[in-house]
């Protein structure tokens, strides 16, 4: 498992990780093809994957002279680190301030509000 600081990803790194989490092990060309319209050079994707491997975010195996990359960290671990960082840095660690901000600045439909209420109810029942 990568160290906590290694789980803070830039935009392209996060896009690449989402591709690998969703589609499983892939070669550079397959990752590039699944980056939804991003006009990136093959070498850009290959370089980023090598850098991500150096950080422990992905690993690779060789298959028919191609590197096949796969995630070395779980999506939940990255989400936990990045969301915790956001809450800490922007909202002083206050979950209530974070949620309040999101409720004021984003469209929230009734279904999502119901989900939030259910999550709060379950959390309260654990205490």
């Amino acid at each position: 498992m990568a160290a906590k600081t290694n789980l803070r990803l830039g935009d392209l790194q996060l896009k690449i990780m989402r591709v690998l989490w969703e589609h499983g092990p892939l070669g550079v060309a397959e990752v590039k093809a699944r980056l939804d319209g991003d006009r990136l050079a093959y070498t850009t994707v290959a370089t980023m994957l090598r850098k991500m491997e150096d950080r422990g975010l992905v690993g690779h195996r060789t298959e028919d002279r191609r590197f096949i990359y796969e995630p070395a960290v779980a999506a939940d671990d990255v989400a936990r680190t990045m969301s915790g960082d956001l809450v800490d840095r922007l909202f002083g660690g206050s979950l209530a301030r974070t949620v309040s901000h999101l409720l004021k600045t984003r469209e929230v439909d009734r279904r999502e509000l119901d989900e939030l209420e259910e999550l709060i109810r379950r959390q309260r029942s654990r205490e």
Side-chain angles (χ1 to χ4, degrees), residues 7 12 15 46 50 56 73 78 88 90 94 98 102 108 112 119:
L7 296 181
L12 179 55
K15 287 178 182 180
R50 279 193 305 275
V73 295
V78 171
D88 291 344
L90 289 179
S94 171
T98 305
L102 292 172
V108 183
E112 284 186 303
L119 290 169

Side-chain angles (χ1 to χ4, degrees), residues 2 4 45 58 79 115:
K4 182 177 179 181
V45 176
V58 299
E115 284 182 48

Side-chain angles (χ1 to χ4, degrees), residues 1-123:
M1 169 54 83
K4 182 177 179 181
T5 54
N6 282 346
L7 296 181
R8 291 158 103 193
L9 307 180
D11 291 342
L12 179 55
Q13 293 171 333
L14 188 54
K15 287 178 182 180
I16 290 171
M17 290 304 296
R18 284 183 178 145
V19 166
L20 293 173
W21 288 323
E22 183 176 339
H23 299 284
L26 296 170
V28 177
E30 292 85 8
V31 171
K32 179 186 177 316
R34 286 176 172 81
L35 286 174
D36 293 338
D38 288 344
R39 294 184 179 254
L40 299 169
Y42 178 95
T43 54
T44 300
V45 176
T47 299
M48 183 58 69
L49 282 162
R50 279 193 305 275
K51 288 179 178 182
M52 292 169 69
E53 186 169 26
D54 290 344
R55 289 183 53 201
L57 298 168
V58 299
H60 83 271
R61 68 178 187 277
T62 304
E63 191 175 284
D64 297 327
R65 297 175 39 161
R66 294 184 324 140
F67 281 6
I68 305 297
Y69 289 91
E70 59 187 324
V73 295
D76 284 348
D77 292 335
V78 171
R80 184 175 11 303
T81 298
M82 291 183 70
S83 63
D85 184 57
L86 174 85
V87 171
D88 291 344
R89 290 176 55 204
L90 289 179
F91 300 100
S94 171
L95 185 58
R97 282 181 51 211
T98 305
V99 173
S100 175
H101 172 78
L102 292 172
L103 290 173
K104 290 176 187 172
T105 60
R106 298 186 64 106
E107 293 285 325
V108 183
D109 63 24
R110 184 71 205 163
R111 181 189 53 77
E112 284 186 303
L113 288 172
D114 291 343
E115 284 182 48
L116 289 169
E117 287 172 350
E118 177 62 19
L119 290 169
I120 291 168
R121 186 192 63 71
R122 275 193 253 146
Q123 186 65 32

